[in-house]
Amino acid sequence: MVKLIPGRKGSGKTKLLIEAIRGAKDESKGNVVAIQLGNSLNSHIKHDVRLINIEDYEIAGCHSMRGFITGIMASDYDCTHIFVDGILRIVRNDRDDMDKVGGMLDKIHKISGNTVVTLTFSTDIGELTESIKRYI
């Protein structure tokens, strides 16, 4: 399953994401992963959540990000939740191609199984394509 938390910068997306991460960790009987640019979540998230600084992996587009997320799912059958803060900043090379971003979400959704993938999306809902809106 794929879920989006959309909104403009400063609208509280990261705060909602942090609350969702904490809730998932409290409820999950498996592993919870949080992907971020830098270390902005480190002081807000307990150490039992796997925090990944995506800058360490040189991800720049939808194709490589999809591979990164699905690789986590493939290697960790106990992973129940993956959270991504700032997906459009991470896929910076493809950020203006909403069809490409929507295709990435579709492919992740198809193989997600029991893993819930939640992403913050820095844009107004009105600017999203229908292929992306269905994940809100």
Side-chain angles (χ1 to χ4, degrees):
M1 174 189 303
V2 172
K3 295 180 183 180
L4 293 183
I5 302 173
R8 287 268 181 214
K9 184 176 180 177
S11 64
K13 295 179 304 299
T14 300
K15 182 179 177 182
L16 290 173
L17 187 73
I18 290 168
E19 291 171 6
I21 293 168
R22 289 176 179 161
K25 188 57 192 165
D26 290 343
E27 296 172 12
S28 177
K29 294 182 179 169
N31 298 319
V32 176
V33 176
I35 300 169
Q36 61 185 331
L37 274 169
N39 59 6
S40 61
L41 298 176
N42 289 12
S43 62
H44 303 286
I45 304 300
K46 293 181 182 178
H47 69 280
D48 49 358
V49 171
R50 171 70 168 105
L51 289 169
I52 298 172
N53 178 354
I54 200 69
E55 293 174 329
D56 295 339
Y57 298 91
E58 299 182 23
I59 303 295
C62 289
H63 182 75
S64 56
M65 188 61 187
R66 176 179 52 90
F68 191 85
I69 291 172
T70 57
I72 291 170
M73 289 187 280
S75 67
D76 185 355
Y77 293 113
D78 294 327
C79 183
T80 59
H81 296 79
I82 298 173
F83 295 92
V84 182
D85 191 23
I87 189 64
L88 291 180
R89 288 182 296 141
I90 294 170
V91 298
R92 62 190 174 275
N93 293 349
D94 296 328
R95 74 180 303 148
D96 295 326
D97 188 344
M98 288 296 170
D99 289 332
K100 211 174 226 186
V101 175
M104 174 190 68
L105 297 176
D106 289 342
K107 289 175 182 176
I108 291 170
H109 176 73
K110 282 181 186 175
I111 67 161
S112 62
N114 293 326
T115 304
V116 179
V117 180
T118 305
L119 311 96
T120 63
F121 215 86
S122 292
T123 191
D124 281 337
I125 293 173
E127 296 176 16
L128 300 176
T129 61
E130 291 303 317
S131 65
I132 295 173
K133 284 182 183 178
R134 69 174 154 228
Y135 296 110
I136 296 175

